[in-house]
């Protein structure tokens, strides 16, 4: 039993600003006001519904994690929608009109994917009144709390998944205004996609398949983040002698008075530190020659000694094995992906060709060079979730398609060499 405090929806939205910026890009709305009223308003309703409640005991267990998990599902769903062909059985004109509606329906289904999940694992009780939250009767969680803290009580066993309960709660998030943007066939697939079942039963619509894959991707992402393994610190601790010889910070330097008959003590050099020892390996040795001591005990006449200004120390060379992470990240950002340059900045197409090149290198996909270009079979495109018509249209737009030969695509040489280097052949 844990006590929590509610979180304002604006605070939850600000905490997920990075994901929301990516969702805004996938929404592809030219007017920011349209995005705020059509897309961001639904996410704000989700933040009002969840407030600071956790999602599950094992994953997304911190306060506010239920809304974070919802935003992650929305992000992965819209990312997986790239390359999908909605309304493929419709004429081209009707398909162009329905595709934005299907994308928005996918967004709505992802927002409603985990509305009932916290109630399957926890009971939420107001601290001041002791009343338990009932979603169907009380509505959104944040207004019901009215700023009061609450307790989270974990159930002995999670409740079974119920599709009807999730559909009932989705009415609070969707609303009539959001559904008014969609036609009848799109609404049918939307209602079928609001299904928290982990595995489909019977026929599975395209929207439900994408949402289910997005939920699985979110679980896997969270599991990997929680099981992250960090390399141990290999720094050798200093010995007791080194710690004793090290000067205390802020302590005044000790002064020793030497009597006239006392022999001055020879200075003792402190043991070099590990960093100084490593840096000295990269600095040129500057050993001054030692003048020979005269054999006689008679002092020689004092000669004028020229004052020598010590040369400026050379710049410290980097320690061997050190990695400049900032420089590596900056070099990666400055280096442009060749696929992105050729494809006019299309992220979806560049990711497809990058994955294709990796599979060709690993021997999973068979391609061959012809006289005029690289031959790519159309049948392999289905493994990457991209439609052949979409790929052909993009390649023709960028002048990267040489020809169509039956069931094969002949790619131009400038993009084909990035997928598979052309073998040497006599000219």
């Amino acid at each position: 039993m844990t006590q929590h405090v509610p979180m304002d929806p604006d605070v939850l939205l600000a905490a997920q600003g990075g994901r929301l910026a990516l969702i805004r890009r996938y929404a592809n709305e030219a007017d920011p006001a349209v995005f705020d009223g059509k897309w961001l308003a639904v996410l704000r309703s989700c933040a009002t519904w969840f407030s600071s409640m956790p999602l599950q005991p094992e994953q997304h267990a911190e306060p506010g994690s239920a809304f974070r998990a919802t935003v992650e599902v929305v992000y992965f769903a819209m990312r997986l929608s790239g390359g999908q062909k909605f309304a493929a059985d419709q004429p081209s004109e009707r398909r162009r009109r329905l595709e934005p509606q299907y994308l928005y329906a996918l967004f709505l289904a992802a927002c409603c994917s985990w509305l009932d999940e916290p109630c399957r694992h926890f009971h939420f009780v107001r601290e001041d009144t002791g009343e338990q939250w009932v979603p169907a009767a009380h509505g959104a969680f944040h207004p019901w709390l009215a700023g009061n803290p609450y307790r989270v009580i974990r159930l002995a066993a999670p409740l079974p998944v119920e599709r009807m309960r999730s559909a009932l709660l989705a009415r609070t998030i969707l609303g009539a205004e959001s559904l008014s943007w969609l036609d009848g066939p799109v609404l049918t697939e939307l209602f079928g996609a609001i299904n928290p079942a982990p595995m489909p039963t019977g026929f599975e619509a395209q929207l439900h398949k994408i949402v289910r894959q997005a939920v699985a991707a979110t679980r896997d992402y969270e599991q990997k983040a929680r099981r992250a393994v960090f390399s141990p610190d290999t720094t050798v601790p200093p010995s007791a002698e080194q710690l004793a010889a090290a000067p205390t910070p802020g302590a005044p330097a000790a002064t020793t008075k030497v009597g006239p008959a006392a022999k001055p003590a020879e200075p003792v050099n402190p043991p070099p530190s590990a960093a100084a020892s490593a840096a000295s390996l990269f600095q040129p040795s500057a050993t001054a020659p030692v003048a020979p001591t005269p054999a006689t005990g008679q002092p020689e006449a004092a000669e004028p000694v020229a004052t020598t200004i010590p040369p400026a120390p050379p710049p410290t060379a980097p320690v061997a094995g050190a990695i400049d992470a900032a420089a590596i990240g900056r070099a990666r950002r400055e280096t442009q992906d060749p696929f992105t340059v050729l494809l006019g900045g299309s992220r979806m197409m560049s990711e497809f060709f990058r994955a294709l090149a990796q599979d060709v290198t690993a021997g999973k996909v068979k391609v061959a060079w012809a006289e005029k270009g690289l031959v790519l079979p159309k049948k392999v495109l289905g493994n990457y979730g991209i439609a052949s018509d979409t790929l052909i249209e993009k390649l023709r737009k960028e002048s990267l398609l040489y020809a169509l030969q039956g069931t094969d695509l002949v790619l131009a040489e400038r993009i084909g060499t990035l997928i598979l280097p052309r073998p040497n052949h006599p000219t």
Side-chain angles (χ1 to χ4, degrees):
M1 185 173 60
T2 309
Q3 186 180 32
H4 293 263
V5 294
M7 298 177 65
D8 191 74
D10 293 334
V11 176
L12 293 171
L13 290 172
Q16 303 300 323
R19 295 287 192 193
L20 295 181
L22 296 175
I23 294 174
R24 183 186 295 269
R25 291 177 54 186
Y26 283 114
N28 197 22
E29 294 287 355
D31 189 0
V34 175
F35 176 82
D36 294 343
K38 185 178 177 181
W39 304 74
L40 191 60
V42 179
L43 292 173
R44 186 179 300 275
S45 299
C46 293
T48 305
W49 176 268
F50 288 116
S51 188
S52 60
M53 68 172 63
L55 184 72
Q56 296 172 344
E58 294 82 11
Q59 295 184 355
H60 298 91
E62 77 277 4
S65 57
F67 177 69
R68 177 174 68 88
T70 300
V71 174
E72 290 176 356
V73 171
V74 172
Y75 162 71
F76 282 113
M78 300 191 71
R79 181 177 177 179
L80 291 171
S81 66
Q84 297 291 333
K85 193 172 182 179
F86 297 104
D89 57 342
Q90 300 293 328
S92 59
E93 187 66 27
R94 179 172 173 79
R95 187 176 69 226
R96 280 193 294 268
R97 188 171 63 87
L98 290 179
E99 279 183 347
Q101 297 186 25
Y102 273 103
L103 181 62
Y104 187 62
L106 176 64
F107 166 77
L108 296 177
C111 289
C112 301
S113 57
W114 269 339
L115 291 179
D116 187 49
E117 187 66 16
C119 296
R120 295 183 53 242
H121 301 275
F122 305 105
H123 282 325
F124 302 96
V125 180
R126 275 183 59 160
E127 192 69 40
D128 57 342
T129 62
E131 185 180 6
Q132 180 180 338
W133 181 54
V134 180
H138 297 143
F141 189 53
H142 186 75
W144 177 75
L145 289 175
N148 296 287
Y150 63 96
R151 288 173 292 159
V152 179
I153 304 175
R154 180 176 178 180
L155 301 180
L159 300 177
V161 176
E162 293 187 13
R163 179 181 179 184
M164 294 302 297
R165 188 168 58 211
S166 299
L168 177 65
L169 301 180
R171 296 173 54 189
T172 309
I173 302 299
L174 299 181
E177 184 178 358
S178 300
L179 300 180
S180 64
W181 296 89
L182 308 178
D183 291 351
V186 185
L187 282 173
T188 302
E189 287 207 29
L190 169 61
F191 296 146
I194 303 176
N195 185 2
M199 294 300 295
T201 55
F203 174 75
E204 184 181 24
Q206 188 176 14
L207 286 184
H208 183 220
K209 180 179 179 181
I210 299 175
V211 173
R212 186 171 53 83
Q213 292 175 351
V215 171
T218 303
R219 293 182 187 272
D220 184 63
Y221 181 82
E222 181 72 10
Q223 185 177 13
K224 289 180 179 178
R226 287 183 172 272
R227 294 184 179 180
V229 179
F230 302 95
S231 59
D233 187 8
T234 58
T235 305
V236 180
S239 61
E241 292 79 6
Q242 291 177 337
L243 290 176
T248 304
T255 58
T256 305
K257 294 184 179 180
V258 181
K263 185 178 180 181
E266 297 181 358
V268 179
N269 295 328
S273 62
S277 301
S280 63
L281 298 177
F282 300 90
Q283 298 179 359
S285 64
T287 305
V290 181
T293 306
T296 62
Q298 305 250 348
E300 296 182 355
E303 296 181 2
V305 180
T307 304
T308 305
I309 301 176
T316 304
V319 180
I323 299 176
D324 191 353
I328 295 176
R330 184 167 56 254
R332 289 180 177 176
R333 289 192 299 268
E334 294 175 355
T335 304
Q336 293 186 348
D337 182 30
F339 288 114
T340 306
V341 175
L342 283 179
L343 295 166
S346 175
R347 182 177 179 181
M348 179 189 70
M349 290 297 173
S350 61
E351 289 181 355
F352 159 69
F353 278 106
R354 196 180 304 112
L356 176 63
Q358 293 175 358
D359 291 345
V360 169
T361 304
K364 299 179 181 179
V365 176
K366 300 298 182 182
V367 296
W369 277 99
E371 181 181 358
K372 298 297 183 181
L374 184 68
V375 179
L376 174 66
K378 287 184 180 179
K379 61 182 181 180
V380 305
L381 301 180
N383 300 332
Y384 301 92
I386 186 170
S388 59
D389 296 343
T390 305
L391 178 62
I392 292 172
E393 181 181 357
K394 183 64 178 178
L395 292 176
R396 283 176 173 170
K397 181 180 178 181
E398 303 296 338
S399 300
L400 297 175
L401 180 65
Y402 180 78
L404 290 174
Q405 295 181 354
T407 59
D408 296 333
L409 305 179
V410 181
L411 305 181
E413 185 172 358
R414 56 193 178 118
I415 194 172
T417 52
L418 299 178
I419 302 173
L420 178 66
R422 191 180 187 107
N424 296 329
H425 60 285
T427 56

